Amino acid sequence: MKTNQEYKNAALSRIQGNWSPLVIASIIYVLVIAAICGASSLPALFNPASVANELGSTGATFLLAIFLASPLELGFANAMRVFFESNDLDCTNNMVRFSTTNYLHKVLGMFFMGLKVCLWTMLFFIPGIVMSFAYAMTPYILEENPEFSAWEASTRSREMMKGHKFDLFYLYLSFIGWFILCLLTAGIGFIWLCPYFKSTEVAFYEDLKGATVSVAE
């Protein structure tokens, strides 16, 4: 596995000169998530399990989180993935397409991911946090492997992340300074941080996927 800086450099090398379409998609993503989950739920922008577990104060908020925010998170993540892989700049349309294609399967897959994290958190808080990293690759797996059942996608993520959960934790932690800076801008900075963060996560996923294939062979 590569270093955090290598993942970040790979993301920035793709993004440089291509900010506009990424930021437009990010604005839509941030506004929708903030509208559903509330401005106090900014961590949900970065961890899909947070979106899936965002119960809110009403049943309507819960339903919107499950049926709109969760597939949108998957769509945004995979729009960043195809951008990273092939420099596809149609980010907004890709985000919508990935969010809506095979919709119920993805909603159920994201729900199961959130449910598993929620159950671990109810059992013990710290293991719940750890397991949120174990299931973090679920949005990519649901899109790239539609043959997997909704339940199997999160299980596959957990298998891929064996021995790498803390690697992802340290990668996320390396963004803490940017996260704080964005908060100081009243959240406006998140529309630039989201593409950078997700592209870096994609670089990690691609490396992890390659390492998993090598081990399997």
Side-chain angles (χ1 to χ4, degrees):
M1 298 292 289
K2 299 175 182 177
T3 66
N4 288 349
Q5 194 57 53
E6 286 176 313
Y7 295 132
K8 289 181 172 182
N9 290 343
L12 286 174
S13 68
R14 302 292 202 285
I15 293 173
Q16 189 174 11
N18 296 313
W19 278 104
S20 295
L22 275 67
V23 167
I24 292 172
S26 182
I27 289 172
I28 297 171
Y29 171 59
V30 169
L31 288 178
V32 172
I33 297 299
I36 294 173
C37 300
S40 62
S41 299
L42 287 173
L45 294 169
F46 303 97
N47 186 350
S50 298
V51 175
N53 284 321
E54 181 58 52
L55 302 182
S57 58
T58 67
T61 300
F62 171 74
L63 291 176
L64 285 172
I66 295 298
F67 289 101
L68 182 57
S70 287
L72 186 66
E73 156 59 26
L74 182 149
F76 184 76
N78 281 284
M80 294 303 103
R81 177 181 57 79
V82 297
F83 162 72
F84 184 88
E85 292 175 346
S86 61
N87 201 38
D88 187 338
L89 295 175
D90 198 10
C91 300
T92 299
N93 285 335
N94 285 337
M95 177 175 66
V96 173
R97 176 166 60 86
F98 290 133
S99 299
T100 56
T101 304
N102 205 11
Y103 174 73
L104 290 178
H105 178 74
K106 291 172 181 176
V107 166
L108 193 57
M110 296 293 281
F111 173 77
F112 283 145
M113 177 190 66
L115 178 63
K116 290 178 181 182
V117 173
C118 183
L119 292 175
W120 275 102
T121 304
M122 290 173 63
L123 184 62
F124 294 107
F125 181 70
I126 298 300
I129 294 176
V130 172
M131 294 311 294
S132 71
F133 293 101
Y135 297 122
M137 300 299 108
T138 303
Y140 304 111
I141 295 171
L142 278 167
E143 180 59 41
E144 287 205 284
N145 300 274
E147 71 276 10
F148 290 171
S149 72
W151 183 270
E152 288 171 339
S154 52
T155 301
R156 174 60 175 164
S157 175
R158 181 176 176 178
E159 292 171 351
M160 287 180 67
M161 288 295 291
K162 284 181 180 177
H164 300 291
K165 290 185 285 294
F166 282 98
D167 293 336
L168 186 60
F169 168 74
Y170 293 135
L171 181 61
Y172 284 2
L173 191 63
S174 71
F175 281 90
I176 189 66
W178 288 110
F179 186 89
I180 293 172
L181 184 61
C182 289
L183 289 176
L184 295 177
T185 65
I188 296 174
F190 283 108
I191 64 176
W192 284 275
L193 181 59
C194 282
Y196 177 31
F197 178 88
K198 278 298 176 185
S199 295
T200 303
E201 184 183 77
V202 168
F204 177 91
Y205 168 70
E206 295 292 340
D207 192 25
L208 178 64
K209 188 168 58 172
T212 303
V213 171
S214 297
V215 170
E217 292 176 348

